[in-house]
Amino acid sequence: MQIGACYLRVSTEEQVEYSLDGQLKAIKSYCRKHDIILSKEYIFVDDGFSGKRAEKRPAFMEMIALAKLKPKKFDVILVHKFDRFARSREDSVVYKSLLKKQCDIQVVSITETFEDNKFNIILEAMLEAMAEYYSINLADEVLKGMTEKATRGEYQTTAPFGYKMKDGKLEIVEDEAKIIRFIFEKFASQEMKMQPIARYINSLGVRTHRGNPFENRTIDYILNNPVYVGDVRWCPTGRIRRNYNNPDAIIAKGKHTPIVSQSLWDTVQERLKKNKEVYRYKEKTTAQIYTWLKGLVRCPNCGNTLVVQGKKYLQCNGFLKGACHVSCHITIEKLEECILEKLKETYDEKLNIEIVPKQIVRDDITYELLSKSLEKIPGKEERIKIAYRDGIDTLEEYKENKQKLVEERQELLLKLKKLKESIQGPSEEEQNTYKKIYDVYELLNDPNIDIDTKYQTAHFLIEKIIYNRQEKTLKLTYK
């Protein structure tokens, strides 16, 4: 007599022959004939989930986690067909192998019975390949269908601001449409730029369909969205993501009522074109740190970080995007002085910090790569904790993975130590400059200490700083 579990799955597009009731009925009949006990607690069901990726099926992952427990809870997992278990050959091979070798649990298809011999291993692999082909082919067919709908002018995503979806068609929401017309008219007449438009709309208490405040990019997307002039845009290769001139995009005449006129749309597009010519996008470079306070100071109104402007002062990033109506700004020099005085009062003990000359790190790429690998260890530790907490890994597996990370950290530290010794060290003058014991105030106030070290020290001690310009107050939260 064996203890059995069963896995049932049906996706939304599949036929009645794969219904959950039908699968369960057939499996229960199989259990009676083969002396298998099937308890209600070991019936795992994914209703409306695709079989393409295992990690996206919650009941499947729960079953795998339970199967890995010791002593084992069941001896066999029953499925109606192998394509119910997985439609990806990779998932099928990985999980079947795990269940068989590590858990001594076999996966059995009640409608595709195989003996455990070489020929049937090939046959089972062929069935898995056919299931994966079906999944890929289904995705291709869905894409073809969506492309055809786009060419016919049918809207296929969530309704944009200004519209709602009713019976599969876009219908104007007049209160929102007034906001859309306001945006187009103010931008076309050059009365307002994107940032002031966003800030004004937010002051009215208006929010996007997702409940977020309007920003520069929100206004930019609206002004570039042809849905408002009666067209439909859809890209078969992925989301537009502000690439409004994507050559793959399909633009067709829609079946909905436009909110703005063609002449107003054309005027706005001409102005957008001129703006791009004047304000060309700059190639992104590595952000330079101008102050050790970077990323620590926040606006009391919207909670956004204050960012560096003109290398001399900090400004609320939400205000710059038009999402915050309060202009919270302060000069970097003044803010650093205030924070330093507070740190001098708070931290009077010495910090045993050995400062490494920047040239060692900068001149050796291996040192940088090893350091980055070492920085990733805490994240790995957190992930294995989550896996154990969620029941994916057993206690033995958690201990094994934790030991591996301990060994990995020790190995990285050893390599870094050897590499550090092999590199020509700093001069005696540099050693005297860098190798000393600082208190926090001295370290942050010393002009000979590089900005990166100051930045790391500040972020080690401070959680956040709330600067209230109107009340002229600073609130420090320490870690």
Side-chain angles (χ1 to χ4, degrees):
M1 184 73 70
Q2 288 184 308
I3 303 297
C6 77
Y7 177 69
L8 314 173
R9 182 184 64 80
V10 63
S11 56
T12 53
E13 76 278 354
E14 290 177 318
Q15 302 172 358
V16 180
E17 65 178 292
Y18 292 120
S19 69
L20 297 174
D21 290 339
Q23 292 178 53
L24 183 57
K25 185 178 179 180
I27 288 173
K28 284 183 175 180
S29 176
Y30 182 91
C31 289
R32 287 192 294 270
K33 293 177 182 177
H34 294 81
D35 293 328
I36 297 174
I37 299 174
L38 181 62
S39 300
K40 187 177 180 181
E41 61 182 317
Y42 298 147
I43 297 175
F44 302 92
V45 181
D46 277 321
D47 188 2
F49 287 86
S50 167
K52 194 170 183 180
R53 295 181 64 182
E55 63 268 23
K56 291 193 174 183
R57 292 181 277 154
F60 182 88
M61 297 309 294
E62 181 187 353
M63 177 182 69
I64 296 298
L66 197 59
K68 292 164 71 176
L69 296 179
K70 295 178 182 179
K72 66 179 181 180
K73 304 295 182 181
F74 40 82
D75 305 297
V76 62
I77 294 175
L78 303 170
V79 292
H80 187 260
K81 280 190 172 183
F82 282 123
D83 65 359
R84 301 300 87 199
F85 185 78
R87 276 194 174 150
S88 160
R89 274 179 295 173
E90 182 180 357
D91 279 349
S92 183
V93 169
V94 167
Y95 287 105
K96 282 184 184 178
S97 175
L98 179 147
L99 290 166
K100 189 173 182 179
K101 294 179 180 178
Q102 296 185 24
C103 311
D104 192 27
I105 296 174
Q106 189 176 3
V107 180
V108 174
S109 167
I110 65 168
T111 59
E112 301 159 323
T113 307
F114 301 112
E115 297 295 331
D116 193 9
N117 58 48
K118 295 179 181 179
F119 173 75
N120 285 311
I121 290 173
I122 297 172
L123 185 57
E124 185 178 343
M126 289 175 62
L127 287 173
E128 291 168 357
M130 289 172 65
E132 185 172 10
Y133 168 78
Y134 172 80
S135 180
I136 295 170
N137 186 61
L138 180 63
D140 290 341
E141 292 301 318
V142 169
L143 184 61
K144 286 179 184 178
M146 294 181 74
T147 304
E148 179 60 29
K149 285 183 178 181
T151 57
R152 293 200 303 260
E154 296 182 29
Y155 200 81
Q156 303 178 81
T157 59
T158 55
F161 190 86
Y163 290 97
K164 65 180 179 180
M165 193 67 75
K166 186 177 181 180
D167 299 327
K169 293 183 180 180
L170 291 176
E171 187 177 279
I172 292 178
V173 178
E174 193 52 45
D175 288 344
E176 294 180 0
K178 290 178 182 178
I179 300 295
I180 295 297
R181 295 188 192 103
F182 172 84
I183 293 171
F184 274 84
E185 288 167 2
K186 292 299 180 183
F187 188 81
S189 64
Q190 300 188 26
E191 289 182 43
M192 299 174 74
K193 295 182 180 180
M194 294 183 192
Q195 185 192 80
I197 290 174
R199 193 173 296 117
Y200 177 77
I201 293 172
N202 290 327
S203 70
L204 301 176
V206 179
R207 293 294 182 265
T208 68
H209 281 181
R210 294 188 177 183
N212 298 321
F214 282 70
E215 297 183 358
N216 288 5
R217 57 184 178 181
T218 316
I219 305 301
D220 184 46
Y221 185 81
I222 287 173
L223 294 172
N224 281 280
N225 194 343
V227 72
Y228 298 114
V229 77
D231 292 339
V232 169
R233 178 178 60 202
W234 184 76
C235 187
T237 56
R239 296 176 63 184
I240 292 294
R241 296 189 184 278
R242 301 184 73 183
N243 182 15
Y244 306 120
N245 297 317
N246 190 326
D248 297 328
I250 297 171
I251 299 179
K253 191 65 180 176
K255 298 180 179 180
H256 60 281
T257 305
I259 292 178
V260 301
S261 65
Q262 186 66 50
S263 59
L264 180 57
W265 169 263
D266 292 339
T267 302
V268 166
Q269 300 313 301
E270 186 62 30
R271 188 179 173 196
L272 287 170
K273 183 180 177 182
K274 289 181 179 179
N275 282 359
K276 286 182 180 178
E277 291 173 355
V278 176
Y279 306 106
R280 293 186 180 274
Y281 290 114
K282 296 180 180 179
E283 184 179 349
K284 289 186 178 181
T285 56
T286 304
Q288 187 174 349
I289 300 177
Y290 294 103
T291 172
W292 43 267
L293 290 169
K294 178 184 176 182
L296 291 175
V297 192
R298 295 190 174 276
C299 169
N301 182 63
C302 67
N304 270 292
T305 306
L306 270 62
V307 296
V308 176
Q309 293 291 300
K311 302 180 183 181
K312 293 184 178 180
Y313 68 96
L314 296 171
Q315 170 74 65
C316 170
N317 197 32
F319 181 82
L320 293 172
K321 292 180 177 180
C324 181
H325 67 277
V326 178
S327 177
C328 185
H329 61 84
I330 187 172
T331 62
I332 292 173
E333 183 180 2
K334 183 177 180 180
L335 186 58
E336 284 184 350
E337 287 177 1
C338 293
I339 300 300
L340 280 170
E341 287 304 312
K342 189 62 181 175
L343 289 173
K344 189 176 182 180
E345 296 174 12
T346 307
Y347 291 96
D348 56 359
E349 74 273 17
K350 299 290 182 178
L351 293 181
N352 189 13
I353 302 175
E354 180 182 328
I355 309 301
V356 180
K358 286 181 67 178
Q359 66 188 52
I360 292 181
V361 179
R362 186 181 296 162
D363 294 342
D364 196 289
I365 190 64
T366 307
Y367 191 101
E368 182 179 350
L369 292 173
L370 289 172
S371 299
K372 286 183 178 179
S373 297
L374 190 62
E375 290 171 4
K376 292 178 181 178
I377 297 293
K380 292 180 180 179
E381 290 174 333
E382 184 63 26
R383 285 194 290 274
I384 66 169
K385 285 180 184 177
I386 293 171
Y388 171 61
R389 184 191 65 199
D390 293 347
I392 303 300
D393 285 345
T394 62
L395 179 59
E396 290 77 10
E397 288 173 321
Y398 169 69
K399 289 180 178 178
E400 183 182 347
N401 291 330
K402 187 176 181 180
Q403 182 59 34
K404 287 180 181 178
L405 290 178
V406 170
E407 293 172 358
E408 184 179 346
R409 177 185 274 112
Q410 291 174 344
E411 185 179 354
L412 287 169
L413 287 171
L414 182 61
K415 287 181 179 179
L416 281 168
K417 182 180 179 181
K418 289 181 178 179
L419 183 62
K420 202 172 175 183
E421 291 171 352
S422 66
I423 300 173
Q424 185 176 359
S427 64
E428 184 177 349
E429 182 182 352
E430 288 174 324
Q431 288 180 6
N432 293 332
T433 302
Y434 284 101
K435 289 192 176 181
K436 60 180 291 189
I437 297 176
Y438 287 90
D439 66 37
V440 178
Y441 176 81
E442 287 178 351
L443 188 147
L444 294 174
N445 204 35
D446 191 336
N448 295 316
I449 301 298
D450 62 86
I451 190 68
D452 289 333
T453 301
K454 292 182 179 182
Y455 172 86
Q456 291 171 17
T457 303
H459 280 251
F460 174 75
L461 297 171
I462 303 171
E463 180 71 34
K464 63 181 176 180
I465 302 167
I466 304 295
Y467 166 60
N468 193 316
R469 180 169 174 261
Q470 294 176 328
E471 297 178 4
K472 297 182 179 179
T473 58
L474 285 168
K475 182 179 178 182
L476 274 73
T477 303
Y478 296 104
K479 289 185 178 177

